[in-house]
């Protein structure tokens, strides 16, 4: 290389070196701030814990005392408000992992400290469900109408085992970060892991072949309902993001409530039909367990799981709808009174 060329490279390096020196200084500041942040987080966590403990004691003392007057009631209200503020502050602080997450992921922190981060994670979770629902729907349609091979069925069941395992982990992370997903839906996904595992190892027997068309039809229908669920959940998320920061806005903002109620009314018939289908499959499997050529324990096990899914889904969805309808009608009554 010519001398002039080497000199140019040297100049370029010297410029980069200067940039690198200033970068090192900035990085030092960054590390310092990180340490400050960690120590601030520790202080806030211990102060919040102290406040919460004291408020609990204060409230129980107030509840035990016989005096009921304006002052006592006022004090109780103030304590409840401060407890709520402490809970809100806690949401932006790191938390210890639940036992399940500690066992699976170890001590790595999965706390999402800001509301936009939490919403983005939830959106990503819904998109993941949408993509997998589309893949499983196409797979189920193929198995229902085009391919009938036990080996390909096994691939489908395996995909479902993997999908539900992943959902359980993602939902635990969401719950860790304040999501109000009902415990039943997580249990539902645990049961689905066991169910898909059972179908995966069910041998290619006469009972499997008798059950297969019913299960594949159910899978196609469920894939379709999962797409409808996605449009409902992503619509809720989109509106919540648009509404802003407050966590309890979803229950108070009327436009949101109306949209949610309309979406729910549209979705419900499809959901209840799914539950009836699950009950039917459980009945079908019970009948197959009495078949003279039935030797497999998988028939009874899958039937029992479908029945559990029917009971849990039916009661949880009905409870959610009942609670939501009470809130919607109460807020409508309030609005009518104001007019
Ligand atoms: N799976 C995962 N998360 C769920 C959920 C489900 N089935 N149902 C509700 N959630 C989440 C919501 O997104 C919300 O999360 P957030 O706190 O992070 O915002 C939280 O749980 C509270 O939701 P909630 O207000 O109780 O209900 P909703 O209005 O979001 O949804 C239903 C109500 C009935 C539409 C919904 O629960 C549902 O689709 N249930 C049927 C599921 C089912 O039966 N699946 C099997 C057959 S396909």
């Amino acid at each position: 290389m010519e001398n002039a060329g080497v000199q140019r490279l040297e100049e370029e390096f010297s410029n980069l070196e200067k940039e690198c020196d200033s970068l090192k200084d900035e990085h030092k500041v960054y590390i310092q701030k990180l340490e400050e942040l960690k120590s601030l987080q520790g202080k806030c966590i211990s102060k919040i814990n102290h406040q919460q403990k004291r408020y609990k004691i204060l409230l129980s003392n107030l509840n035990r005392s016989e005096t009921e007057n304006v002052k006592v009631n006022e004090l109780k209200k103030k304590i409840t408000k401060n407890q709520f503020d402490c809970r809100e502050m806690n949401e932006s602080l790191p938390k210890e992992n639940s036992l399940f997450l500690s066992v699976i992921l170890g001590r790595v922190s999965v706390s999402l400290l800001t509301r936009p981060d939490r919403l983005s994670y939830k959106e990503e979770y819904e998109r993941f469900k949408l993509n997998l629902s589309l893949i499983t729907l196409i797979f189920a349609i193929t198995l229902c109408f085009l391919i009938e091979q036990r080996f390909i069925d096994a691939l489908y069941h395996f995909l479902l085992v993997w999908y539900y395992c992943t959902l359980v982990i993602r939902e635990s992370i969401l719950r860790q970060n304040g999501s109000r997903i009902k415990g039943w839906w997580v249990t539902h996904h645990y049961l689905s892991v066991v169910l898909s595992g059972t179908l995966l190892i069910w041998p290619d027997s006469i009972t499997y072949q008798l059950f297969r068309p019913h299960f594949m039809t159910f899978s196609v229908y469920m894939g379709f309902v999962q797409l409808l669920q996605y449009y409902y959940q992503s619509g809720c998320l989109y509106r919540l993001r648009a509404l802003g920061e407050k966590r309890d806005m979803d229950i108070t903002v009327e436009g949101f409530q109306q949209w949610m109620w309309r979406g729910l009314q549209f979705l419900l018939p499809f959901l209840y039909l799914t539950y009836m289908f699950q009950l039917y499959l459980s009945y079908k499997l019970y009948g197959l367990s009495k078949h003279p050529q039935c030797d497999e324990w998988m028939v009874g096990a899958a039937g029992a799981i479908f029945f559990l899914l029917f009971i849990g889904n039916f009661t949880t969805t009905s409870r959610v709808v009942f609670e939501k309808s009470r809130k919607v009608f109460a807020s409508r009554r309030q609005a009518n009174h104001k007019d």
Side-chain angles (χ1 to χ4, degrees), residues 3-20:
N3 260 357
V6 174
Q7 208 174 343
R8 216 183 52 241
L9 291 179
E10 225 173 15
E11 269 169 29
E12 206 178 314
F13 172 72
S14 125
N15 284 342
L16 276 174
E17 203 175 26
K18 271 184 215 146
E19 264 177 44
C20 189

Side-chain angles (χ1 to χ4, degrees), residues 122 125 129 171 179-182 185 188 222 229 232-233 264 267 271 274-275 320 324:
K122 182 75 194 273
Y125 157 83
K129 283 210 299 192
E171 280 160 7
S179 172
R180 295 150 304 157
I181 300 177
K182 303 244 171 331
W185 301 125
H188 173 274
M222 207 174 79
Q229 270 175 279
Y232 171 79
Q233 292 294 357
L264 205 56
L267 192 58
L271 286 179
T274 314
Y275 306 152
V320 168
K324 283 186 191 282

